[in-house]
């Protein structure tokens, strides 16, 4: 009836008003505290709060002992939680079809990003990963390498990257390497095949001996199937991101 319609409109208006007030309050400075706590640490903090509020239920000596014990426990759990969630050194091949990239991490403050298409990084292709992973695990953003680059940790030439720590990879997003010839084949740990690679892996077999071929999520289905078949014919190990997800490799 009419009363039901009026009630529905009033409730809808109240919900809209409530959501607007919450959004306004969330915009206040320090109104939202974004923390990445484990369930154990969260429960420990609630226990600590309960102990703080229970001062009137125990003698002063007993309450101080409880407070000291709980505080020590929270500190230990917090340190262990931070240690377990720290950024470990390694090489990450991201599952990101919009922005294929390899992230070489040495520590939370030192890392390098090798995108197949640098423009996609500038256009926000790594925004989700930057917000969900980099902000929580890294103390400094990675150095974005868009061309040849050399320092004490990494050396990149034409998409071929060698890392201190015993890992090397070649980013394949065009056909430049397929036009080269060599009488000696080089060892490389990973051939990273991305959208835009228009060559054949059989041609690269004349240049490289890869430990594994990584097929990025950005590849079209037909290109992926072709690469999988070529790997079978060549006897190469193949890692398909569409089936197995992102690939993480430890640095020595």
């Amino acid at each position: 009836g009419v009363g039901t319609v009026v009630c529905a409109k009033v409730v809808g208006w109240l919900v809209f008003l409530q959501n607007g007030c919450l959004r306004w309050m969330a915009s206040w400075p320090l109104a939202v505290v974004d923390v990445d706590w484990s369930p154990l640490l969260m429960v420990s903090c609630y226990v600590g709060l309960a102990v703080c509020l229970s001062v009137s239920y125990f003698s002063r000596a007993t309450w101080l002992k409880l407070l000291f014990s709980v505080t020590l426990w929270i500190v230990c759990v917090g340190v262990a939680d931070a240690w377990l969630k720290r950024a470990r050194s390694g090489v990450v091949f991201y599952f990101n079809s919009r922005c294929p990239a390899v992230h070489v991490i040495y520590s939370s403050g030192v890392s390098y990003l090798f995108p197949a298409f640098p423009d996609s990084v500038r256009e926000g292709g790594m925004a989700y990963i930057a917000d969900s992973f980099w902000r929580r695990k890294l103390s400094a953003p990675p150095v974005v390498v868009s061309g040849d680059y050399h320092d004490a940790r990494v050396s990149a030439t034409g998409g071929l990257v060698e890392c201190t720590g015993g890992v090397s990879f070649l980013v394949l997003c065009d056909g430049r390497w397929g036009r080269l010839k060599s009488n000696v084949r080089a060892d490389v740990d990973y051939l990273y095949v991305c959208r835009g690679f228009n060559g054949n892996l059989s041609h690269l077999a004349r240049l490289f001996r890869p430990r594994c071929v990584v097929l990025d999520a950005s590849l079209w289905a037909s290109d992926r199937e072709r690469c999988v078949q070529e790997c079978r014919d060549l006897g190469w190990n193949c890692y398909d991101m569409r089936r197995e997800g992102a690939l993480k490799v430890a640095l020595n």
Side-chain angles (χ1 to χ4, degrees), residues 42-250:
M42 184 69 71
V43 171
S44 300
C45 289
Y46 278 117
V47 172
L49 179 61
V51 170
C52 291
L53 297 176
S54 64
V55 61
S56 61
Y57 294 93
F58 301 97
S59 65
R60 186 172 181 81
T62 301
W63 180 77
L64 288 174
K65 290 179 181 178
L66 286 173
L67 183 62
F68 175 78
S69 299
V70 171
T71 302
L72 182 61
W73 170 255
I74 292 174
V75 170
C76 292
V77 171
V79 171
D81 192 45
W83 185 82
L84 291 173
K85 291 182 178 180
R86 76 192 190 282
R88 294 177 173 82
S89 63
V91 179
V92 182
F93 295 82
Y94 284 121
F95 186 97
N96 185 358
S97 58
R98 182 182 175 187
C99 182
V102 184
H103 194 176
V104 180
I105 304 172
Y106 285 97
S107 67
S108 62
V110 180
S111 65
Y112 304 82
L113 185 71
F114 297 88
F117 311 105
D119 289 343
S120 60
V121 177
R122 291 188 287 268
E123 293 170 358
M126 301 297 292
Y128 172 76
I129 295 174
D131 183 64
S132 61
F133 177 64
W134 296 354
R135 183 173 55 82
R136 298 178 185 275
K137 300 290 186 178
L138 305 181
S139 59
V143 176
V144 179
V145 181
S146 58
D148 293 350
Y149 181 91
H150 305 278
D151 67 9
R153 295 182 180 86
V154 298
S155 177
T157 303
L160 179 61
V161 181
E162 296 183 6
C163 309
T164 301
V167 175
S168 60
F169 58 89
L170 174 63
V171 179
L172 296 170
C173 56
D174 52 34
R176 74 179 73 176
W177 287 94
R179 297 188 295 267
L180 301 179
K181 296 181 179 180
S182 175
N183 295 324
V184 180
R185 293 195 298 166
D187 292 322
V188 63
D189 292 311
Y190 301 94
L191 294 182
Y192 182 44
V193 185
C194 307
R195 181 183 70 249
F197 175 67
N198 53 15
N200 295 317
L201 295 179
S202 56
H203 294 164
L204 294 177
R206 305 169 188 172
L207 303 174
F208 300 103
R209 287 193 300 263
R211 187 156 63 98
C212 180
V213 176
V214 180
L215 303 181
D216 185 68
S218 63
L219 286 172
W220 299 109
S222 58
D223 292 334
R224 180 179 296 103
E225 293 173 2
R226 175 175 57 84
C227 289
V228 169
Q229 185 58 50
E230 284 191 280
C231 287
R232 290 173 182 167
D233 296 339
L234 294 167
W236 288 354
N237 293 325
C238 179
Y239 186 95
D240 189 352
M241 282 192 179
R242 281 291 180 184
R243 296 180 179 178
E244 304 180 65
L247 174 62
K248 299 180 180 179
V249 181

